[in-house]
Amino acid sequence: MLNRQKVEAYLEAFNLKDTKSKPPDCSCASSQYNYSPAGHIITGDLGIVTNEQLRELLAKGPKYRIPQPINWKKNFKLLMDAVEDYARKWIKREPDEPDLDTLSEWIKAIRSCIQRRIQKLRCNMSTRVSNPFKNPEVVDALSSLHDKYVVVPADKASNNIVFICKKHYLQCLTTELGIDKTTDLGLILTQKNLLEKPKMIWNMDESGKSFEHNPVKVVAEKGAKNVPGRISAISTHVTIVACVNAIGDKMSPLLVVKGKTERSIFGFNTQEAPSGTMWDYQESGWMDDRIGERWFKEIFLKQCGNDRPHILILDRHSLHESLALIQEGIKEDVVVLSLPPHTTHYLQPLDRTVFGPFSKQYDRACSEFLQQNILHKEDKWTFPTLFHTAWNSALTNENIKSGFRACGIYPFNPLANSRVCLPSK
Ligand SMILES: [Zn+2]
């Protein structure tokens, strides 16, 4: 939803430097969606979208894509070939390396099974897809939303979106980006004499990983719902908490799994996770105050070293502004700096250069694993192995350092973000 390409034009058109004295207009005060602590509209309520068709579309979340027609013929051929490929691999593993013919009955049986399955799918799925954006009313409605609001993904629930008043968003940005000289961060770094101590500057943030343990894999169109065979799929969610510093070091990860008791961790092959990984559980699989404090004591304080002071930068939502944590921080001479939510996605090193590659590496590890272990699946048991691979390949010294650099935290450069972090028009 942030559009890098339009950013520079936007910067000039808007003349951000003047927004403090001449902010754009808004009429949030009289709106039922006004969020009173901010005095502006900040809402996840889709009731704000008046066009019904657009509302339905937005309700599908930012990851939704309008389904593309399926190339049945091509996919059919891919599957048929895959069966034969598998048979070839299979005979190679047998001690006497038999002829492919010995498996011909098996190949035939599997293929006809797939064929029947595809036939059934084709009958059950509607292949005609209508594109709502062909309706000019939907396009107009979207464009008028963009005029008034910045639309961002909600921090915790990646499938939800939040509308934020554009005026409010810009006001927060100008303050945060330090366009009027000093940000809080700059002040703290200077006061604490940390400007040249990258080892003491930390960023902690969380990212989520969802996966399904499907009993059966079925051919389905991206985004397709009600595909037979997916009904019994159980999706689970793991929150990954990372903490890194500006010289590129990383602390042990914290993994929060969904569950009500410690038993929920038992399904995971925890031995395969990176050494020192801390495991915890929470009903929705997210971080809460209890886990945040545990993390601070058992990971942060144990791994940050004996020198003081430290600065720990985090997303305000990560720890729900946990007072206990901030007090604990003061006691330990650790400045806990929580950045305001919604505007900070690109101000955090982990968000900027680490979680993206992590996600890619995870997907890669996953598909490699599935290729090598055709009978396995991505599930709780295998998750720690895949996580470990992705963690090591993505949380590299270089990736981490470049995040701090890009965010202007180290070397400190308050203008570093002004090129990236603007709303799309
Ligand atoms: Zn407003």
Side-chain angles (χ1 to χ4, degrees), residues 26 357 364:
C26 75
R364 175 184 292 179

Side-chain angles (χ1 to χ4, degrees), residues 227-296:
V227 177
R230 282 192 62 177
I231 301 149
S232 50
I234 311 151
S235 125
T236 193
H237 178 91
V238 179
T239 294
I240 294 151
V241 177
C243 185
V244 294
N245 70 9
I247 58 163
D249 291 339
K250 57 175 180 281
M251 290 185 173
S252 301
L254 155 66
L255 298 174
V256 184
V257 310
K258 212 169 166 173
K260 287 180 185 165
T261 66
E262 206 172 356
R263 291 178 63 91
S264 39
I265 303 170
F266 296 168
F268 290 82
N269 188 5
T270 53
Q271 294 205 327
E272 292 298 324
S275 73
T277 299
M278 177 175 141
W279 292 82
D280 212 320
Y281 59 90
Q282 199 267 347
E283 219 171 324
S284 50
W286 292 335
M287 184 103 164
D288 61 13
D289 288 355
R290 175 190 66 82
I291 303 173
E293 284 166 48
R294 191 185 152 210
W295 172 85
F296 187 71

Side-chain angles (χ1 to χ4, degrees), residues 26-28 39-41 165-168:
C26 75
S27 51
C28 294
H40 291 273
I41 291 176
C165 164
K166 216 171 215 178
K167 172 181 175 179
H168 178 62

Side-chain angles (χ1 to χ4, degrees), residues 15 82 97 115 166 176 186 226 276 319 322 331 338 344 356 406 418:
N15 200 355
E97 277 213 37
Q115 206 165 355
K166 216 171 215 178
E176 258 184 55
N226 304 321
L319 292 173
S322 160
K331 218 166 73 192
S338 66
T344 57
S418 57

